[in-house]
Amino acid sequence: MTGSLTPDGLETREVPLPPLEPGCIETAFTGDAPLTIATLGPEFGAYRKIRTEGDFMAAPISRAFNAIACVPTTTT
């Protein structure tokens, strides 16, 4: 897949996201807010995945991250 370069030399490309899976932190975010930030504590202990760059990264989310920002739509 070829992307396009920004004036600063950053490559941007559109990548289809895989469907959400059980245990993925994104399932905790509902609604259509343009930005949602969650401070992660023990109540997020059941989440074990996060989508990154078109794939999933397995990690104990509440231990791996202090907070998560959910931005459902981006533009270039």
Side-chain angles (χ1 to χ4, degrees):
M1 221 180 274
T2 303
S4 58
L5 293 179
T6 67
D8 296 328
L10 177 69
E11 182 182 12
T12 60
R13 58 189 165 134
E14 211 169 300
V15 177
L17 290 175
L20 290 176
E21 295 181 356
C24 187
I25 187 66
E26 287 90 345
T27 62
F29 296 95
T30 59
D32 57 358
L35 172 65
T36 304
I37 299 174
T39 302
L40 301 180
E43 66 274 17
F44 288 92
Y47 297 101
R48 300 295 214 196
K49 298 179 193 174
I50 188 168
R51 286 192 301 195
T52 61
E53 297 183 15
D55 204 355
F56 290 95
M57 178 179 75
I61 300 302
S62 65
R63 292 181 55 211
F65 301 97
N66 294 323
I68 295 282
C70 180
V71 182
T73 304
T74 60
T75 59
T76 57

